[in-house]
């Protein structure tokens, strides 16, 4: 059956999984193809930034292997066609259980990255999480992604958290819907692949090797020319008038540090009246503590394997955390998601939605501004098709199936 015939046999509104004939889909049918293309298209240092993890990348490999190992037993004779994939998170409707995770410095991978991701998320109607150290301001993001904007906050404790509270106030004024506090960066970590290409230091001073790599990547260079140098847009203004790029970098390094304590989280909870999520939770006891503080969402994540490679794959702790949380809060997931099938695995094991980071960077590296939209198209269609294939009638329905999950971690009484 060719694509046209296939599309004609699928009910209206459910045809997305059959758009296989477009050129982009032909060349880049999965995120892995985008990763391969990105490797050859952008400067080497930019690819290494998008791709590298802590240590030997063992955490990244474990995240992928953990997801790959999850098997879903299908049921047939139930669903005649593709199921709907819309979901509601914190009272808002989204097109699919998929979101863009917060990332600092994505513009290294493709200049203008933050804006492209914001626009793509708004178009697709999925959450876009701007990072504290993202490349556009909260206010710019709010104009690009007014209906789907979330904001991620790092700990900035100096002067009694003045900068954290200031960013929170700006989020409130700009209409950010969800505030995400990242708890899993207690110490600065070393990512060897970044160090080796010259991105490990506290200064950005491209040497001849980096310049050569830029010159060999004309598309990337053109985008740099059009969009300008990446900078910490949300923090820049506090670094002083006429602060250079390196002044802003060292200001950010001095301000940001450590992981929020429970007392600090309680203070933010007190002031932020809209949904509040903790990102980086890996233990049911921490999820319980979060709920006791009135947190609305628990985001299970090991930071995509970028902090320390000894952590379990988040997919392996997800069922225990989800069981602990029950219906008391929303459970979100990331780390290793490269397809809609991975999204379905996470949803089947208890997440309400799965987010991705690196997949969007590879999309940007391969396709520039078109990348994030293509990644979302692929993932949303794959989610719908994977649910349809196992006979699930909705994302939540995937939880009712029989699942083999060899890596699932059991937590002793705590
Ligand atoms: C380049 C890069 C920068 C990141 N920066 C941040 C950040 O500033 N704040 C944060 O909470 N998480 C950050 N993350 C982690 C992501 O939010 C997310 O947890 C992770 O990418 C998910 O794993 P995945 O890349 O395998 O999808 C970053 C990830 C990448 C790849």
């Amino acid at each position: 059956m060719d694509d046209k015939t296939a599309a004609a046999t699928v009910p209206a509104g459910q045809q997305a999984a059959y758009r296989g004939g477009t050129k982009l889909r032909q060349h880049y049918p999965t995120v892995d193809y985008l990763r391969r293309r990105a490797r050859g298209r952008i400067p080497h240092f930019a690819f290494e930034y998008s791709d590298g993890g802590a240590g030997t990348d063992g955490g990244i490999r474990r995240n992928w292997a953990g997801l790959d190992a999850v098997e879903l037993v299908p049921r047939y004779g139930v669903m005649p066609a593709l199921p709907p994939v819309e979901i509601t998170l914190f009272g808002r409707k989204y097109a699919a259980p998929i979101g863009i995770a917060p990332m600092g410095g994505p513009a290294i991978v493709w200049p203008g990255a933050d804006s492209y991701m914001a626009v793509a998320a708004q178009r697709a109607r999925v959450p876009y999480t701007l990072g504290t150290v993202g490349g556009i301001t909260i206010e710019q993001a709010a104009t690009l992604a007014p209906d789907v904007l979330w904001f991620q906050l790092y700990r900035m404790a100096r002067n009694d958290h003045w900068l954290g509270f200031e960013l929170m106030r700006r989020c409130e004024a700009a209409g950010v819907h969800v505030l995400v506090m990242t708890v899993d960066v207690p110490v600065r970590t070393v990512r060897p692949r970044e160090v080796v290409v010259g991105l490990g230091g506290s200064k950005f001073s491209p040497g001849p090797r980096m310049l050569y790599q830029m010159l060999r990547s004309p598309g990337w260079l053109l985008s740099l020319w059009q969009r300008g140098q990446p900078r910490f847009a949300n923090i820049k203004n506090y670094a002083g008038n006429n602060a250079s790029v390196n002044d802003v970098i060292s200001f950010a390094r001095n301000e940001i540090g450590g992981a929020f304590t429970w007392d600090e989280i309680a203070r933010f909870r007190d002031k932020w009246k809209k949904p509040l999520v903790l990102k980086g939770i890996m233990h049911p006891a921490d999820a319980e503590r979060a709920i006791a503080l009135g947190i609305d969402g628990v985001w299970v994540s090991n930071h995509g394997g970028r902090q320390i490679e000894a952590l379990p794959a988040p997919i392996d702790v997800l069922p225990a955390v989800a069981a602990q949380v029950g219906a008391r809060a929303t459970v979100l997931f990331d780390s290793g998601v490269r397809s809609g099938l991975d999204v379905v695995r996470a949803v089947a094991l208890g997440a309400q939605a799965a987010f991705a980071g690196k997949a969007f960077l590879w999309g940007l590296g391969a396709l520039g501004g078109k990348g994030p939209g293509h990644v979302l198209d692929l993932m949303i269609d794959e989610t719908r098709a994977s649910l349809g294939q196992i006979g699930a009638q909705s994302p939540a329905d995937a939880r009712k199936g029989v699942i083999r999950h060899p890596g699932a971690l059991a937590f002793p009484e705590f």
Side-chain angles (χ1 to χ4, degrees), residues 381-399:
D381 291 353
E382 288 164 357
T383 298
R384 197 179 279 120
S386 304
L387 286 172
Q389 187 64 50
I390 61 169
Q393 306 191 33
S394 67
D397 201 31
R399 268 170 232 144

Side-chain angles (χ1 to χ4, degrees), residues 179-254:
L179 187 66
V180 177
M181 296 173 76
T182 297
V183 297
D184 63 0
V185 186
V187 295
R188 242 180 222 121
T189 196
V190 176
R191 286 183 285 273
R193 288 169 65 187
E194 283 178 23
V195 175
V196 166
V197 296
L199 291 173
S202 55
K203 280 204 169 111
F204 182 70
S205 51
R209 243 188 332 157
M210 270 186 168
L211 290 172
Y212 175 68
Q213 290 166 18
M214 292 183 204
L215 288 173
R216 288 191 44 177
S217 312
W220 185 94
L221 209 53
L222 178 65
S223 196
L224 180 69
W225 182 67
Q226 289 167 336
R227 297 295 190 132
Q229 209 172 346
R231 47 189 77 221
F232 299 141
N234 283 305
I235 292 180
K236 182 164 70 91
N237 288 349
Y238 308 103
N241 291 339
N242 308 321
S244 68
V245 171
N246 283 327
D247 292 340
V248 178
I249 292 175
S250 62
F251 175 78
R253 284 178 79 92
N254 289 335

